[in-house]
């Protein structure tokens, strides 16, 4: 039986990339790119091949393996996994790039900023401080080849091959045997006598000076070149000179060097370093400190490196929102950093957070999201908008805060192109109609009209036909002058969406009424729109063959690019019908019967609006806008359309005239002004008549009439009078026998006619009938009052044709 030994390299959970190696520190190690087999996440793999006769190098490599595995610090290369066999050593670390290669790539792209270099050097000095002061270890190999950079631009200290203890444990420093590394040794090491007095960190600080020189000036040709600072910044030169001083005793401790460089005016005293230091300690910061930090962060992000923003700032922002109490303050820097992401990264990292934010009840967060929607709307797909975002956004239409209502209206311009049929043509139109008719803020009513005009091309053809004319006509009657202007400009912006018949019979009559408006701005826009429509009608009159071309967009499907004026407003889209208007709609106008003589009465305030009654022939959409008047829509020429964008949205901060008297936009009121009626045959008796109750309406439906009121006392009945007929004795009565039998003992029935004498009845009989009638009337009255009170309490619909008795 044969047994096959397993290959540990093949079973290793990481694999080398087929790309050529990236090099590595001078010595036996070779740096390769790699990835984790299970997840595909990138890593770096340092490989050392064991060679015969190189036992000393092998021991150095194994010591480096052990050191890297046991040392954990944010500024030291992070160990992930390792493999040790008789033939090789594999050390897996976070994905990094050698500093030399990184500087070369950045130089080709425009070079590194001093901010980045200051933070990178800060990290290396901090790593040295950790080794020397906390671990009592001497790195003994600080140079360009021992520094690596991760994807966030963070500098990491590696090259731990020649590290040794400063306390003498384990012997002295190992022999390097690499000439390229020996040029970084301090001059005192060349003195074989060992008489030079030095601190334990002196050699590493000299090598740090060499690293600083190479970062700013390139590869170090020889040690004598250190005397010339070259391109080293002036704020760093004094501290650099301390590092490369001939006297090792005066070379500062790494911690002291950081302190000196962080002093006011120092090389490492800048916003970038301060931001990084705060992010490293953000978990232990107070909530107030975090709030202040995030508020100021967005101002600095423009000057920060892109990689740093993507890989260091962004994770902290997401963590602060997910687990912290940062709230709305993270939104501005979050969206600013989001600009550096590609579409796939944005979908993975930003969109889930945005969707979660929209469900927040925090008003500050909601209004920030609405204000900055332009920055992320292009990354939202239609299913996400319709199912996870729009249902939360529409709550803003009902918010008591005017600023949120205003921003919600404006946000519809961006959301409308992504809304589905139901949300755009039904749900959104309900809210828009309510805002335009009922909102107490003039600017919000104005903005609703503006928004509707800018998204008119996104609406379906049937919705455009129902909504636009009615909505813009309603705006022309608004007490707030900018709203009236917006109504005229709305007609102009959507001029291509109306038939010539509508232009002549509906739009022009409305515009003509505005030519005597008290505000000159309204009159001016009305005259321009009238001229535009008249010119359009005249051109068709002169050449009827143009009619098809002029009306080509009237019945066309919704399209963002449709329309002359609307086409210039890319990204604007809105939909909504007020809850009141939707209740007024019974069916498509084509299905409504031509009953125009039945009077409609407005619903008094405080009473429930009637519920919609579906018509089987044509299902009614709850988002219809009931046509109010014969003439309601207006369109304008291209100049007027351009003028639209110059109109102010109507800031809530500006002074505004509040509605002195709101028009009654209740369903009954709209139908009354329009002179339109619902189909009585299609309606149930209790459909829409409850609004009549306060106006003396009928109380009950088709019921038998109530008994007459009792006559005043002393009033004779009609039967008591002799109307000129013959006397009873003059002529025999064929009913005399029957009358005699009744009088003899039979009890009178309340509904009997009495005896045969048409001149009168017995007094007792009359009193009995009158009493029974009175009791019946009282009983009937109590029943009616009880029913009336019950209906008022329930506020339910009332039956058709009843009369109010009180």
């Amino acid at each position: 039986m044969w047994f096959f030994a397993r290959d540990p390299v093949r079973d290793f959970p990481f694999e080398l990339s087929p790309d050529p190696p990236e090099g590595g520190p001078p010595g036996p190690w070779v740096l390769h790119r790699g990835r984790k087999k299970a997840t595909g996440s990138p890593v770096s793999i340092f490989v050392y091949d064991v060679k015969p006769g190189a036992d000393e190098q092998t021991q150095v490599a194994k010591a480096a393996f052990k050191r890297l595995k046991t040392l954990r610090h944010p500024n030291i290369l992070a160990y992930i996994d390792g493999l040790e066999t008789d033939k090789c050593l594999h050390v897996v670390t976070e994905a990094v790039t050698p500093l030399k290669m990184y500087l070369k790539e950045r130089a080709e792209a425009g070079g590194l900023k001093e901010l980045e270099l200051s933070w990178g050097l800060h990290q290396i000095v901090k790593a040295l401080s950790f080794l020397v002061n906390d671990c009592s270890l001497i790195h003994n190999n600080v140079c360009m080849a021992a520094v690596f950079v991760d994807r966030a631009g963070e500098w990491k200290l590696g090259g731990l091959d020649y590290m040794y203890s400063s306390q003498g444990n384990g012997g002295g420093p190992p022999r390097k045997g690499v000439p390229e590394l020996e040029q970084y040794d301090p001059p005192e090491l060349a003195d074989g006598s060992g008489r030079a007095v030095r601190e334990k960190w002196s050699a590493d600080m000299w090598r740090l000076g060499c690293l600083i020189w190479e970062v700013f000036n390139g590869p170090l040709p020889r040690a004598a070149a250190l005397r010339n600072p070259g391109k080293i910044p002036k704020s760093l030169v004094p501290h650099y000179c301390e590092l490369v001083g001939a006297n090792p005793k005066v070379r500062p401790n790494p911690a002291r060097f950081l302190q000196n460089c962080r002093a006011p005016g120092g090389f490492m005293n800048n916003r970038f370093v301060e931001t990084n230091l705060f992010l490293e300690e953000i978990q232990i910061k107070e909530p107030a400190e975090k709030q202040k930090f995030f508020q100021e962060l967005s101002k600095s992000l423009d000057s920060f490196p892109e990689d740093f923003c993507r890989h260091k700032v962004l994770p902290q922002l997401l963590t602060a929102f997910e687990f912290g109490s940062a709230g709305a303050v993270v939104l501005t820097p979050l969206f600013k950093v989001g600009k550096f992401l590609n579409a796939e990264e944005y979908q993975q990292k930003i969109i889930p957070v945005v969707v979660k934010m929209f469900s927040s009840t925090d008003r500050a967060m909601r209004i920030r999201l609405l204000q900055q929607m332009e920055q992320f709307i292009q990354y939202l797909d239609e299913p996400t908008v319709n199912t996870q975002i729009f249902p939360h956004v529409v709550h803003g239409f009902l918010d008591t805060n005017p600023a949120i209502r205003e921003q919600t209206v404006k946000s519809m311009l961006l959301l409308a192109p992504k809304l589905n049929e139901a949300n755009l043509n039904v749900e959104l139109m309900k809210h828009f109609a309510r805002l335009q008719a009922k909102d107490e803020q003039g600017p919000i009513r104005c903005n609703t009209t503006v928004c509707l005009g800018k998204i008119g091309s996104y609406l379906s053809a049937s919705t455009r036909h129902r909504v636009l004319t009615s909505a813009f006509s309603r705006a022309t009657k608004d007490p707030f002058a900018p709203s009236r202007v917006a109504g005229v400009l709305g007609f102009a912006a959507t001029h291509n969406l109306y038939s010539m018949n509508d232009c002549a019979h509906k739009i022009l009559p409305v515009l003509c009424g505005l030519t005597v408006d008290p505000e000159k701005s309204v009159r001016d826009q009305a005259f321009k729109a009238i001229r535009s429509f008249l010119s359009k009608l005249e051109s068709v009159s002169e050449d009827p063959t143009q009619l098809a071309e002029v009306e080509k967009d009237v019945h066309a499907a919704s399209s963002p690019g449709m329309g002359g004026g609307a086409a210039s407003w890319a990204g604007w889209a809105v939909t909504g019908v007020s809850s009141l208007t939707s209740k007024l709609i019974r069916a498509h106008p084509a299905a409504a019967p031509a009953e125009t003589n039945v009077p409609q009465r407005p619903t008094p305030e405080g009473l429930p609006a009637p519920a919609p009654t579906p018509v089987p022939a044509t299902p009614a959409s709850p988002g219809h806008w009931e046509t109010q008047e014969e003439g309601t829509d207006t369109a304008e020429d291209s100049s007027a359309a351009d003028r639209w964008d110059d109109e102010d949205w109507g800031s809530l901060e500006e002074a505004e005239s509040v509605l002195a008297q709101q028009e009654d936009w209740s369903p009954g009121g709209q139908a009354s002004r329009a002179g339109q009626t619902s189909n009585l045959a299609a309606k149930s008796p209790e459909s829409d008549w409850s609004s009549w109750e306060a106006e003396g309406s009928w109380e009950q439906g088709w019921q038998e009439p109530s008994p007459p009121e009792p006559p005043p006392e002393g009033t004779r009945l009609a039967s008591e009078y002799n109307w000129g007929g013959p006397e009873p004795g003059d002529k025999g009565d064929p009913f005399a026998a029957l009358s005699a039998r009744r009088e003899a003992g039979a009890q009178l029935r309340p509904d009997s006619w009495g005896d045969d004498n048409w001149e009168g009845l017995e007094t007792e009989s009359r009193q009995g009938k009158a009493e029974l009638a009175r009791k019946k009337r009282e009983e009937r009255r109590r029943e009616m009052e009880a029913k009336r009170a019950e209906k008022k309490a329930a506020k339910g619909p009332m039956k058709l044709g009843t009369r109010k008795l009180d």
Side-chain angles (χ1 to χ4, degrees):
M1 182 177 294
W2 295 88
F3 293 94
F4 296 94
R6 300 183 62 182
D7 185 357
V9 176
R10 181 179 299 174
D11 296 338
F12 195 51
F14 298 89
E15 62 181 1
L16 300 179
S17 169
D19 298 335
E22 296 183 340
W29 292 100
V30 179
L31 175 60
H32 294 264
R33 292 181 181 179
R35 67 179 186 89
K36 189 172 184 178
K37 294 179 180 178
T39 63
S41 55
V43 295
S44 289
I45 303 178
F46 291 85
V47 178
Y48 170 74
D49 292 324
V50 178
K51 299 177 181 178
D55 294 341
E56 186 176 358
Q57 279 191 347
T58 301
Q59 293 302 319
V60 169
K62 290 183 177 180
F65 189 166
K66 181 179 178 181
R67 292 288 189 188
L68 190 62
K69 190 176 182 179
T70 55
L71 284 173
R72 296 289 180 175
H73 190 268
N75 304 127
I76 293 179
L77 197 59
Y79 172 88
I80 296 178
D81 201 351
L83 173 68
E84 183 176 352
T85 68
D86 296 337
K87 297 181 179 180
C88 65
L89 293 176
H90 285 193
V91 178
V92 182
T93 68
E94 57 186 319
V96 291
T97 302
L99 177 60
K100 184 177 182 179
M101 184 181 299
Y102 178 77
L103 293 176
K104 181 180 179 181
E105 292 174 354
R106 292 301 302 270
E108 295 173 353
L112 281 174
K113 300 178 181 178
E114 283 191 9
L115 292 178
E116 300 175 72
L117 296 175
S118 66
W119 175 241
L121 292 173
H122 184 284
Q123 293 176 295
I124 298 303
V125 178
K126 199 170 182 181
L128 288 176
S129 177
F130 167 73
L131 293 175
V132 171
N133 298 318
D134 298 334
C135 304
S136 297
L137 293 173
I138 306 300
H139 187 276
N140 198 33
N141 191 28
V142 180
C143 62
M144 180 82 74
V147 180
F148 303 88
V149 184
D150 67 8
R151 61 178 185 171
E154 304 275 275
W155 291 18
K156 307 286 184 174
L157 184 61
L160 309 183
D161 305 60
Y162 308 106
M163 183 179 292
Y164 65 95
S165 173
S166 63
Q167 298 176 348
N169 299 333
R175 188 177 68 88
K176 296 181 180 179
V178 181
E180 297 176 5
L181 299 178
E182 292 179 354
Q183 66 174 341
Y184 299 108
D185 290 341
E188 60 268 17
L189 292 184
D191 184 5
S193 62
R195 292 175 296 179
V197 179
R198 62 181 185 270
E199 302 290 348
K200 58 182 180 181
W201 58 79
S202 297
D204 278 346
M205 296 309 287
W206 169 275
R207 297 184 179 98
L208 175 64
C210 298
L211 173 63
I212 292 175
W213 194 95
E214 287 191 318
V215 165
F216 290 99
N217 299 296
L220 180 65
R222 55 189 180 276
L226 297 173
R227 299 174 184 175
N228 181 17
K231 299 179 182 179
I232 297 177
K234 293 182 179 180
S235 58
L236 183 59
V237 168
H239 311 296
Y240 160 77
C241 291
E242 292 180 352
L243 299 179
V244 294
N247 186 358
K249 187 68 176 178
V250 299
R251 294 173 195 158
N253 184 286
R256 179 62 183 272
F257 178 81
L258 281 180
Q259 185 178 352
N260 295 339
C261 292
R262 292 276 297 136
F267 178 67
M268 298 180 184
N269 183 24
N270 56 60
R271 177 63 181 166
F272 187 54
V273 173
E274 291 173 359
T275 299
N276 278 281
L277 293 176
F278 189 95
L279 289 175
E280 288 184 351
E281 302 174 352
I282 193 171
Q283 304 300 334
I284 59 175
K285 297 292 184 180
E286 295 293 330
E289 294 178 299
K290 295 180 183 179
Q291 291 277 337
K292 183 180 179 182
F293 170 76
F294 287 124
Q295 286 175 351
E296 299 175 351
L297 178 60
S298 59
K299 303 175 184 177
S300 307
L301 288 176
D302 292 332
S303 61
F304 289 174
E306 179 180 328
D307 290 339
F308 168 78
C309 294
R310 292 173 55 196
H311 301 296
K312 188 166 184 180
V313 175
L314 180 59
Q316 292 293 348
L317 290 173
L318 298 178
T319 302
F321 170 76
E322 190 76 21
F323 305 106
S325 56
V329 295
V330 305
L331 289 178
T332 302
L334 180 66
F335 293 138
K336 213 163 190 178
V337 174
K339 295 178 180 178
F340 300 127
L341 305 179
N342 57 41
E344 183 178 356
E345 290 176 322
Y346 205 102
Q347 287 286 344
Q348 294 176 353
K349 298 179 179 180
I350 305 292
I351 294 304
V353 177
V354 170
V355 171
K356 187 174 181 180
M357 286 178 177
F358 270 108
S359 63
S360 171
T361 57
D362 182 6
R363 277 179 168 170
M365 179 171 291
R366 286 164 54 194
I367 200 167
R368 291 275 187 92
L369 281 170
L370 296 174
Q371 290 171 341
Q372 302 182 48
M373 186 177 291
E374 188 175 2
Q375 300 188 33
F376 59 84
I377 186 65
Q378 67 269 27
Y379 299 104
L380 297 174
D381 54 27
E382 293 186 8
T384 301
V385 170
N386 286 283
T387 61
Q388 301 183 58
I389 292 181
F390 182 76
H392 297 294
V393 173
V394 292
H395 294 316
F397 291 123
L398 306 175
D399 201 284
T400 56
N401 189 329
I404 292 183
R405 296 201 303 273
E406 183 183 38
Q407 288 298 330
T408 304
V409 170
K410 294 181 180 181
S411 69
M412 291 302 107
L413 300 170
L414 301 171
L415 288 178
K418 297 178 179 288
L419 294 180
N420 58 28
E421 176 75 14
N423 286 336
L424 180 65
N425 294 287
V426 179
E427 185 67 21
L428 184 57
M429 291 299 105
K430 289 197 307 182
H431 293 287
F432 267 29
R434 183 187 56 76
L435 287 175
Q436 193 190 45
K438 292 288 188 180
D439 200 280
E440 65 207 17
Q441 300 288 339
I444 293 180
R445 299 194 303 273
C446 176
N447 291 346
T448 302
T449 305
V450 172
C451 192
L452 183 59
K454 294 195 172 188
I455 66 160
S457 61
Y458 294 99
L459 303 176
S460 64
S462 60
T463 303
R464 292 197 303 265
H465 180 72
R466 288 193 312 270
V467 171
L468 297 183
T469 305
S470 176
F472 296 144
S473 298
R474 173 187 296 176
T476 61
K477 299 175 178 62
D478 197 297
F480 191 57
S483 292
R484 300 198 295 276
V485 174
V488 177
L489 294 177
F491 280 131
T494 54
H495 65 91
N496 59 309
L497 303 179
Y498 307 113
S499 65
M500 292 297 97
N501 190 55
D502 285 345
C503 293
H505 293 91
K506 296 183 178 181
I507 298 175
L508 281 175
V510 175
L511 293 177
C512 289
L514 295 176
T515 57
V516 293
D517 192 275
E519 294 290 334
K520 189 175 186 305
S521 60
V522 179
R523 298 195 301 270
D524 291 344
Q525 293 300 326
F527 280 119
K528 291 169 65 177
I530 289 172
R531 287 193 293 269
S532 174
F533 278 104
L534 285 177
S535 175
K536 195 173 181 180
L537 289 169
E538 186 176 2
S539 65
V540 174
S541 176
E542 294 292 334
D543 184 5
T545 59
Q546 296 182 10
L547 181 62
E549 176 65 21
V550 171
E551 294 186 351
K552 64 179 181 178
D553 293 334
V554 175
H555 302 292
S558 60
S559 170
M562 189 197 311
S568 63
W569 298 327
W572 287 65
V574 186
T575 37
V577 183
S578 95
S579 55
L580 297 176
T581 307
S582 65
K583 291 177 182 177
L584 187 61
I585 306 306
R586 304 292 178 266
H588 192 278
E595 299 182 26
T596 58
N597 298 324
V598 181
Q600 300 289 325
R601 308 186 66 170
T603 302
E605 274 194 55
L607 293 179
T613 304
V615 179
T618 307
S621 168
H624 296 336
W625 291 60
E626 187 81 6
T627 304
Q628 294 188 86
E629 302 185 12
E630 281 288 322
T632 39
D633 276 28
T634 313
E636 194 175 299
D637 57 6
S638 59
S639 62
D642 295 337
R643 173 73 176 86
W644 177 283
D645 284 331
D646 297 334
E647 289 299 317
D648 189 7
W649 274 91
S651 174
L652 289 174
E653 287 77 2
E654 299 177 0
E656 65 188 50
S657 58
V658 182
L659 286 172
Q661 179 180 4
Q662 287 201 4
E663 294 183 81
D664 183 10
W665 293 104
S666 63
Q670 282 187 311
S672 176
R673 286 187 294 275
Q676 296 181 348
T677 59
S678 302
N679 185 358
L680 298 180
K683 293 174 59 175
S684 64
E686 299 182 0
S687 62
D688 204 10
W689 299 92
S690 60
S691 60
W692 284 27
E693 182 176 357
E695 301 279 346
S697 59
W698 295 94
E699 182 67 25
Q700 283 293 79
W702 300 97
Q703 299 182 3
E704 60 179 291
S706 303
E709 295 288 338
E713 189 174 353
T715 303
R716 297 176 62 190
L717 299 175
S719 59
E720 297 179 26
Y721 292 90
N722 186 358
W723 296 93
E727 293 294 330
D730 296 342
K731 189 175 182 180
D733 188 352
F735 295 101
L738 180 59
S739 179
R741 286 195 297 269
R742 286 175 183 159
E743 294 175 1
Q747 186 177 1
L748 289 173
R749 292 179 299 169
D751 58 348
S752 68
W753 286 99
D755 61 4
D756 57 356
N757 188 357
W758 289 88
E759 294 181 330
L761 298 172
E762 292 292 336
T763 303
E764 182 179 354
S765 175
R766 291 199 305 268
Q767 291 177 349
K769 288 193 292 183
E771 181 67 17
L772 288 174
R774 186 184 65 78
K775 290 182 179 180
K776 188 174 181 179
R777 286 193 298 272
E778 290 296 326
E779 181 179 356
R780 182 62 179 166
R781 185 189 300 276
R782 287 192 294 270
E783 289 178 2
M784 300 293 287
E785 289 176 351
K787 290 181 179 180
R788 190 160 53 246
E790 186 175 293
K791 286 180 176 293
K792 287 181 179 180
K795 293 187 177 182
M798 305 188 64
K799 292 186 178 180
L800 179 65
T802 60
R803 178 174 59 85
K804 189 172 182 180
L805 298 178
D806 51 359

